[in-house]
Each structure stands twice: as structure tokens, then as C-alpha cells.
Amino acid sequence: MKSDKVSLSDIAKAAGVSTALVSYVMSGKEKEGRVGQEMANRIREIAKELNYQPNLLAKSLRNGRTNTIGLIIADISNPFFANIAREVEDESRRNGYTIIIGSSDEDADKAWDLMNVLINRQVDGFIIVSSENSGRLVEHLQNIRLPFVLLDRHFPEYNTDFVVTNNAKASHEAGSHLIQNGYRRIGFIAYKSAMFHVKERIRGYQEALQEHGIEPKATWLKEVQFNAIESEIRTAIDELVQTEEPIDAIIFSTYGLAVNGLKYLNELRLRVPEDLGVVSFGQAEVFDLYYCPISYMRQPIDVLGKKAVSMLITRLSGESGEAQHFTVDAQLIARESSRPKV
Amino acid sequence: MKSDKVSLSDIAKAAGVSTALVSYVMSGKEKEGRVGQEMANRIREIAKELNYQPNLLAKSLRNGRTNTIGLIIADISNPFFANIAREVEDESRRNGYTIIIGSSDEDADKAWDLMNVLINRQVDGFIIVSSENSGRLVEHLQNIRLPFVLLDRHFPEYNTDFVVTNNAKASHEAGSHLIQNGYRRIGFIAYKSAMFHVKERIRGYQEALQEHGIEPKATWLKEVQFNAIESEIRTAIDELVQTEEPIDAIIFSTYGLAVNGLKYLNELRLRVPEDLGVVSFGQAEVFDLYYCPISYMRQPIDVLGKKAVSMLITRLSGESGEAQHFTVDAQLIARESSRPKV
DNA sequence: TACCATTGCTTAAACGTTTAAGCAATGTGA
DNA sequence: TCACATTGCTTAAACGTTTAAGCAATGGTA
């Protein structure tokens, strides 16, 4: 068993022809290389015999594309993102691309460094689930004209391709659902962030209340720091609950918030949904572990992932038109945690 | 702002010297290249000015190493593995390596294909969380002398580097712990698998019972198919519980089994730990969502990941001695789900 | 018959590095 | 003073591809 060492010139030698000819055949360009039928077959034969595997490095060096996509994820330990990553990876592979993942851990500097490492690795383009303050990153990529698609989170102030969920609408739906089921004083817990998707979720929630004639109190909205989630979510929930007019339902804007929040509700011995109705964003399967299945806004991970890949790939193949936007709706999965109040 | 286009020869031109000289300086070989101090500084200066970024492809093509590691994970949607992946990625990056991940989804064929894609990408080595029937893969890598480290799961019949948890011991501890807390009829649910780590976990469990004078009944051991987990786990639990001598505790050998199993226990309205004590393997955070915090065998993900990387990297730097083995102990995190029986 | 197009192939440069080998100038020791 | 070592640089080949350009033989058309 020969190892990886078989090159074009080995085949060429074996066939008694030039490497050019072999290259034309191996890259399916026998037409434009004007290679004879017979010879083409012979070369293919020999290549198979020698188990030829093209050297991708050489290919890339020569033609300037690596067929590699850089995927920068805000937080890979979040299963929602992990599953997005997986979807992106699968879909890319299906299209002949390899992806290199990096997690920025919601840190702009780390994202920046990651981007540079990946640029150095000559990725052809990026798919980015951006973190706070990633404007610089977006600008830089635009400057050097490296194609990229923003996934799940985008910046309205930049004109970029993106694939996102309609967050305002999702939040709106979550809120309306709770109201329809009899909840009135609905809290909302989000990460403290200036990012658009966060603001949108808050907006949707507030609008839903207003449309149903409920004035969303400022104290119902809690913003907790990503880095101090464990402590701050306790304070947040305490403040929502320990007041003369405690909330009767809560919307978690994120998987991580929900996990930590629900945990704390357990500690407080607050019952869902009797004491507190719950709807969450984020990833599903795990919410089933709660004694009471958690209602959530299901984001179509597969659609998001696949669309981002296909959008990027059309860019990579030279498309240079208008920025592409793709917005998909989340779907309310209503379960026990938000069942009608009795 | 110039883009990526600056090459050695641009610097060489600017400095009026040969590319060789620049190369020596840029790769820190001014000593062996016998480059003059003054010239070296001038070159560095110019390089910085032009914002030179070496072309990694060219480098790799020339010297045959890509500084890339292929990471093949059995199931990336499992948070335990996702976190391992993350650890591996971080540690690799810290050492100047980039990793390319692929999930084999516990499928030997997919793992094989992945391996080939990654070999084509000229990874310098592999870290592999292997799936069933990956013997062929191991053999092939040994044949072509591509370094690799098996992580979390290994094959005793092959002489390879590996980094694993002491599964028998962990299982033994889980069993003993339950027994000490008064449980007597302890079930064990594992994936149906011929893999060593699965067998080891079963062995540890059985030995623990025996050492405490309990004969582990064959009916207490349930093996469910990875692909049919949702249905088979129900049958398994039904059979464990609906008998004249139902079990009073259960060990889940895996994160996925635990999630699905606990879910079903909820449906059955079985109370943990009153009706059924529980200890699980797998990832932690999420078990907190259960109304009753789940005891688990904590595997030191960071240690596993870091050790695998360092083991591989020493191989990559030419070490060719004996196969390295590293075994780490899991730690019992005892919580409510296995509290002493009253 | 002369001309041109087509077919089947080869040559060679290029992508951006690394590095062995070589060359000239200077320094050193006997 | 000669021989040789050291210093500071250049040349050029190599890694494995791709592809424009060129060349010779054949076929078709006028």
C-alpha cells in the first residue's frame, strides 16, 4: 500500500505523458485540455491503480482557493450553537468545503484573533455568529473583500449578507402566547447587550404586551451579564419575584439564561407553571429534563445552517450583487410550562 | 490598507535583497542563515510596515507540515463531546495548531470518509473519539504512519496512544456509592456496543455489586441501540421497573441515555430518588435542570482534552517511542438523586 | 493545392515558501 | 604570507499543482 506520495508526475511517468495532460484529466478538463478519449481513460486507470490523491495544498496555492470556510461561533458550549455548527459543517462538507471552527466565547478580541488566524489559513470565506463589538471585524472583512455571511445575529448598521431568525416576531409570539393563556405580569430576562438581536427580542416582547393592553413595566425587564450569569440571574429573578406584585410568567431570551434560571427556580421551590409560566428561546431536547416540559421558540437550526452555507457559497462562486438577507420564523412549541392558567 | 498579497519577494524587493534572506529572518533562522544584525532588523522593519503575513499554504507545501490536527468526534451533538472538542481546539490553538473537526455520528463509514477528507487536507495528525468498528481506521492510520491519539475511547487490541477515563473504576464507584446509600437492586443502562469503554463500565458496575455481596442479575443490565434510543430506552426502563422485584436505582452509562431516561421517568411519574436512585455518566450542567440534582461521574474534560493534544504534539515533533497511555479518574459528584435511602 | 481549423500532446511559468550550495570579502592563526 | 574559517549574502531547486502558449499532425474546405 503506497502512502500519500503519489503525485501527478508519478502518473505522468507511468503513462509516459506530461503532467499537464494528467492534470487536465484529473480535474475533469479533458475537453478544454483536448485530451484524447483513449489517453484519458488510460490516465484514469493508472491514477486509480496508484490510488492518486491530489495534494490540496498545491492546488490551493496554485489557484488561490482552499475550499475552506471559517466558522466563528459566539459560544460553542451552547448547544444551540453547537448544533448550528454541526449543521454548517455537514452542509459544507456536502458541497466540498471543509470548515474550521473557532469559538469566540462572546469575546470581541478573541473573535478578532480567530479571524486573523483563519485568514492566515486562507479560508475562502467566513460564516460568523458574531459577538458583541464585532463591528471592527465586519469592517475589516469588507475592506479586504473576503466574503462572509452573518448567522443568527447581524448588524443593521452594516450592509452585509445575513441569515437570521425573526427575533422580534418570535418574542412577540412568546409574549402573546403567555397572555392568551392568562398570564399578565410577564418578565423578560436577556443578556445585557447592545446587539441587535437582543434588542429585537425585547422589542417584540414589549410590543406584544402593549398590543394586549398591558404596559410592560421597566422592572419586568432584566439584563444580566454573560460573564456573571450565575450570580446576576439570581438577583434578577429575586427582583422579579420578591415584590408586592410579582410576575406570573417569564421569558428567557436564551438557552443559557433558561438553564440557569430554571435551576434557580428549583432552588426557590417555585413551581412551573403554577407559580410562574415559562417560555424560552434556545435549544430544545434538554428542556425536557425539567419536571414540566418547557415551551420554547424553536428556531429552525437546519434551515439557518444550510441557508448560510449556500449563501456563502454563491458568493464564493463570484456572485457580487446586493447584500442577501434571509429571515426565518421561529415556531412556538407550546408545552406544559405555559399552559393556560386556571 | 494592503490586503493579504504581501509576499517574501515584496519584502525582498523593498529591501533590495534576495527572498532567501527574508525567509531566514522571518522564520527566525537568522543564525543559521548567517544574516547580519543590521540587515535582519531592516527586514523586520519592512515586513512590519508592509504587514507581511506568511502564506501558510506555501509553507506547508514546502515543508510538508500543515500545523493542522484532524479531530474526529463520535457525536458532536453530545455536550460532553462538544466540550471536549472545545478544549482540544483551545489547547491546539495555544500551541499553534489549527484543528478541523468532523462528527462521525457514531457511524464507522462516516468516520472513515471523514478521515480520508482530513488526510487529503494533509492534517499532521489525528485526535479521535472513535465510534464502533473503527478498527479499520486505526489500522489504516498506523499503516500510513500518520500519528494519532485516541481520546475517551480506545481499543485494547491495538497498540496505540490513548487518553481515557478509568471507566471500570468510575462505574465501580457509582455502584458502590449507591449501595452504600442503601440501594440494592441497581439497574444499568448502556448503549448496545462492543466497544471497550462500554464493557468496562458494565464490568465495574457488576464487580461493585458482587463485592458488596449482591449478585447482579442479567435482567438489570439493559443495552439500547444508539439509533433507536427513544423507543428502546422506554422498553428498557419498563422492563426494569415493571416486575415483581423492580430495581431501586439506575446507572446511566451516558449523557444521552440519561436525558432520555430521565424524561421517561418523568412521564412514568416515578420520583427520583424516592422511587429510583440515579447516577449518571456524562455532562453536568444540564442535569441541574432536573427537579432533583442528578449525581454523576465527572470526567475531567479539560485534562482529557489537554493531555490528548500534548500527547499528539510530542508525537508530531518526532517522538517515536512506546505507545503512550494516560488514564484519568472520574470523580463522583454525589447529589440528591442518590441520597441515602430512608 | 493551399490554407485554416481541429486534435493531441508538451513546455514552462507560476503560486510563495525553504534551504542546500556557492561565492566573495574579510578575519585569523601559524 | 598562505591557508583556511567565518560572515553576509545570492542562486536555484523543490514542494505539487494549473494553464497559457506552442507545436506537429491530421482533416476539411475552397
Side-chain angles (χ1 to χ4, degrees), chain B residues 2 22 30 32 48 65 98 123 133 145 147 160-161 163 183 206 221 257-258 273 283 289 303-304 307 326:
Chain B
K2 276 267 154 293
V22 182
E30 4 178 335
E32 50 182 293
K48 191 168 295 173
R65 1 182 29 243
T98 295
V123 295
N133 303 317
R145 301 188 186 294
T160 72
D161 289 353
V163 175
Y183 301 89
Q206 290 173 333
L221 173 63
L257 292 166
Q283 235 263 337
L289 271 190
V303 176
L304 289 168
K307 190 67 192 174
F326 184 84

Short mmCIF file of all heavy atoms in Angstrom, two decimals, chain B residues 2 22 30 32 48 65 98 123 133 145 147 160-161 163 183 206 221 257-258 273 283 289 303-304 307 326:
data_model
loop_
_atom_site.label_atom_id
_atom_site.label_comp_id
_atom_site.label_asym_id
_atom_site.label_seq_id
_atom_site.Cartn_x
_atom_site.Cartn_y
_atom_site.Cartn_z
N LYS B 2 -3.20 47.52 2.50
CA LYS B 2 -2.90 46.43 1.57
C LYS B 2 -3.60 45.16 2.06
O LYS B 2 -3.73 44.92 3.24
CB LYS B 2 -1.39 46.17 1.53
CG LYS B 2 -0.64 47.10 0.58
CD LYS B 2 -0.50 46.45 -0.80
CE LYS B 2 -0.36 47.50 -1.89
NZ LYS B 2 -1.53 48.34 -2.12
N VAL B 22 15.23 37.11 3.41
CA VAL B 22 13.99 37.46 4.09
C VAL B 22 13.40 36.24 4.77
O VAL B 22 12.96 36.29 5.91
CB VAL B 22 12.97 38.05 3.10
CG1 VAL B 22 11.71 38.46 3.83
CG2 VAL B 22 13.57 39.23 2.36
N GLU B 30 17.89 33.47 11.49
CA GLU B 30 18.94 34.39 11.06
C GLU B 30 20.31 33.84 11.43
O GLU B 30 21.30 34.13 10.77
CB GLU B 30 18.75 35.76 11.69
CG GLU B 30 17.61 35.81 12.67
CD GLU B 30 17.47 37.17 13.32
OE1 GLU B 30 18.49 37.89 13.40
OE2 GLU B 30 16.37 37.50 13.74
N GLU B 32 21.36 30.52 11.56
CA GLU B 32 21.84 29.54 10.59
C GLU B 32 21.83 30.07 9.16
O GLU B 32 22.48 29.52 8.29
CB GLU B 32 21.06 28.23 10.69
CG GLU B 32 19.56 28.37 10.65
CD GLU B 32 18.87 27.02 10.80
OE1 GLU B 32 18.99 26.21 9.87
OE2 GLU B 32 18.19 26.80 11.83
N LYS B 48 7.09 44.53 8.85
CA LYS B 48 6.04 45.09 9.69
C LYS B 48 5.29 46.19 8.94
O LYS B 48 4.07 46.25 8.94
CB LYS B 48 6.65 45.64 10.98
CG LYS B 48 5.59 46.00 12.03
CD LYS B 48 6.20 46.26 13.40
CE LYS B 48 6.84 45.00 13.99
NZ LYS B 48 7.57 45.28 15.25
N ARG B 65 4.36 20.02 6.51
CA ARG B 65 3.51 20.01 7.68
C ARG B 65 2.54 21.18 7.62
O ARG B 65 2.91 22.29 7.24
CB ARG B 65 4.28 20.04 8.99
CG ARG B 65 5.77 20.10 8.85
CD ARG B 65 6.56 20.08 10.15
NE ARG B 65 5.90 19.39 11.23
CZ ARG B 65 5.53 19.98 12.36
NH1 ARG B 65 5.68 21.28 12.51
NH2 ARG B 65 4.99 19.29 13.33
N THR B 98 -4.08 24.40 14.25
CA THR B 98 -5.48 24.62 13.93
C THR B 98 -6.15 23.26 13.89
O THR B 98 -5.53 22.29 13.45
CB THR B 98 -5.61 25.28 12.55
OG1 THR B 98 -5.03 26.56 12.60
CG2 THR B 98 -7.07 25.40 12.13
N VAL B 123 -3.74 16.94 7.22
CA VAL B 123 -3.55 17.14 8.65
C VAL B 123 -2.29 16.42 9.08
O VAL B 123 -1.92 15.39 8.51
CB VAL B 123 -4.76 16.62 9.46
CG1 VAL B 123 -6.00 17.43 9.14
CG2 VAL B 123 -5.00 15.16 9.21
N ASN B 133 -16.57 -0.11 15.48
CA ASN B 133 -15.98 -0.62 14.24
C ASN B 133 -14.96 0.31 13.61
O ASN B 133 -14.85 0.40 12.40
CB ASN B 133 -17.06 -0.91 13.19
CG ASN B 133 -18.10 -1.87 13.70
OD1 ASN B 133 -17.76 -2.87 14.33
ND2 ASN B 133 -19.36 -1.56 13.45
N ARG B 145 1.37 5.53 8.81
CA ARG B 145 2.22 6.21 9.79
C ARG B 145 1.83 7.65 10.04
O ARG B 145 2.68 8.53 10.13
CB ARG B 145 3.69 6.17 9.36
CG ARG B 145 4.19 4.78 9.18
CD ARG B 145 5.65 4.62 8.94
NE ARG B 145 5.90 3.21 8.65
CZ ARG B 145 5.73 2.24 9.54
NH1 ARG B 145 5.37 2.52 10.77
NH2 ARG B 145 5.94 0.97 9.20
N PRO B 147 0.43 10.03 12.75
CA PRO B 147 0.26 9.99 14.21
C PRO B 147 -1.18 10.27 14.62
O PRO B 147 -1.86 11.07 13.99
CB PRO B 147 1.16 11.14 14.69
CG PRO B 147 2.09 11.42 13.57
CD PRO B 147 1.35 11.09 12.32
N THR B 160 -1.92 1.58 20.64
CA THR B 160 -1.96 2.99 20.22
C THR B 160 -1.78 3.92 21.41
O THR B 160 -1.94 3.50 22.55
CB THR B 160 -3.32 3.34 19.60
OG1 THR B 160 -4.30 3.38 20.66
CG2 THR B 160 -3.75 2.31 18.57
N ASP B 161 -1.48 5.15 21.10
CA ASP B 161 -1.56 6.18 22.12
C ASP B 161 -3.02 6.38 22.49
O ASP B 161 -3.90 6.32 21.63
CB ASP B 161 -1.04 7.52 21.57
CG ASP B 161 0.46 7.51 21.36
OD1 ASP B 161 1.10 6.53 21.75
OD2 ASP B 161 0.97 8.49 20.79
N VAL B 163 -5.82 8.49 25.55
CA VAL B 163 -6.13 9.24 26.77
C VAL B 163 -7.56 8.91 27.12
O VAL B 163 -8.47 9.21 26.35
CB VAL B 163 -6.00 10.76 26.52
CG1 VAL B 163 -6.44 11.53 27.75
CG2 VAL B 163 -4.58 11.13 26.15
N TYR B 183 -29.17 1.46 48.41
CA TYR B 183 -29.84 0.88 47.25
C TYR B 183 -29.32 -0.54 47.05
O TYR B 183 -28.16 -0.82 47.31
CB TYR B 183 -29.59 1.73 46.01
CG TYR B 183 -30.08 3.16 46.17
CD1 TYR B 183 -29.24 4.14 46.72
CD2 TYR B 183 -31.37 3.52 45.82
CE1 TYR B 183 -29.68 5.44 46.90
CE2 TYR B 183 -31.83 4.83 45.98
CZ TYR B 183 -30.98 5.78 46.53
OH TYR B 183 -31.42 7.06 46.71
N GLN B 206 -20.76 -4.28 37.70
CA GLN B 206 -21.04 -5.63 38.19
C GLN B 206 -20.12 -6.02 39.33
O GLN B 206 -20.54 -6.61 40.32
CB GLN B 206 -20.92 -6.63 37.03
CG GLN B 206 -22.06 -6.48 36.02
CD GLN B 206 -21.88 -7.32 34.78
OE1 GLN B 206 -20.75 -7.64 34.39
NE2 GLN B 206 -22.99 -7.67 34.11
N LEU B 221 -29.30 -5.43 33.54
CA LEU B 221 -28.45 -4.77 32.56
C LEU B 221 -29.21 -4.59 31.25
O LEU B 221 -29.65 -5.57 30.64
CB LEU B 221 -27.19 -5.60 32.31
CG LEU B 221 -26.30 -5.09 31.17
CD1 LEU B 221 -25.75 -3.72 31.49
CD2 LEU B 221 -25.17 -6.08 30.90
N LEU B 257 -28.34 8.70 27.21
CA LEU B 257 -29.22 7.75 27.87
C LEU B 257 -29.91 8.39 29.07
O LEU B 257 -31.10 8.19 29.31
CB LEU B 257 -28.42 6.52 28.32
CG LEU B 257 -27.90 5.65 27.17
CD1 LEU B 257 -26.83 4.68 27.67
CD2 LEU B 257 -29.05 4.92 26.51
N ALA B 258 -29.13 9.17 29.79
CA ALA B 258 -29.69 9.82 30.97
C ALA B 258 -30.80 10.79 30.59
O ALA B 258 -31.89 10.77 31.15
CB ALA B 258 -28.58 10.55 31.74
N PRO B 273 -35.17 10.72 44.22
CA PRO B 273 -34.66 9.36 44.34
C PRO B 273 -35.62 8.44 45.09
O PRO B 273 -35.24 7.30 45.33
CB PRO B 273 -33.39 9.57 45.16
CG PRO B 273 -33.74 10.71 46.07
CD PRO B 273 -34.71 11.57 45.31
N GLN B 283 -22.32 14.73 30.91
CA GLN B 283 -22.08 16.14 31.17
C GLN B 283 -22.98 16.71 32.23
O GLN B 283 -24.15 16.35 32.35
CB GLN B 283 -22.23 16.91 29.87
CG GLN B 283 -21.01 17.73 29.55
CD GLN B 283 -21.17 19.14 29.99
OE1 GLN B 283 -22.28 19.62 30.14
NE2 GLN B 283 -20.06 19.83 30.21
N LEU B 289 -31.12 20.71 35.63
CA LEU B 289 -32.48 21.08 35.25
C LEU B 289 -33.50 20.14 35.86
O LEU B 289 -34.66 20.47 36.00
CB LEU B 289 -32.61 21.05 33.73
CG LEU B 289 -32.28 22.35 33.03
CD1 LEU B 289 -32.68 22.27 31.60
CD2 LEU B 289 -33.02 23.50 33.71
N VAL B 303 -8.67 18.08 31.40
CA VAL B 303 -7.47 17.25 31.46
C VAL B 303 -7.41 16.33 30.24
O VAL B 303 -6.37 16.20 29.58
CB VAL B 303 -7.47 16.39 32.74
CG1 VAL B 303 -6.28 15.45 32.74
CG2 VAL B 303 -7.46 17.28 33.97
N LEU B 304 -8.52 15.71 29.96
CA LEU B 304 -8.57 14.79 28.81
C LEU B 304 -8.16 15.51 27.53
O LEU B 304 -7.31 15.04 26.76
CB LEU B 304 -9.98 14.21 28.66
CG LEU B 304 -10.42 13.20 29.72
CD1 LEU B 304 -11.93 12.94 29.62
CD2 LEU B 304 -9.66 11.90 29.57
N LYS B 307 -4.44 16.80 27.58
CA LYS B 307 -3.48 15.72 27.53
C LYS B 307 -3.41 15.11 26.13
O LYS B 307 -2.33 14.79 25.62
CB LYS B 307 -3.88 14.64 28.54
CG LYS B 307 -2.84 13.57 28.74
CD LYS B 307 -1.59 14.12 29.41
CE LYS B 307 -0.44 13.10 29.32
NZ LYS B 307 0.81 13.66 29.83
N PHE B 326 -2.62 7.24 28.90
CA PHE B 326 -2.92 8.13 30.01
C PHE B 326 -4.34 7.86 30.48
O PHE B 326 -5.28 7.96 29.71
CB PHE B 326 -2.76 9.59 29.58
CG PHE B 326 -2.96 10.58 30.69
CD1 PHE B 326 -1.93 10.91 31.55
CD2 PHE B 326 -4.20 11.17 30.88
CE1 PHE B 326 -2.11 11.82 32.58
CE2 PHE B 326 -4.40 12.08 31.91
CZ PHE B 326 -3.35 12.40 32.76
#
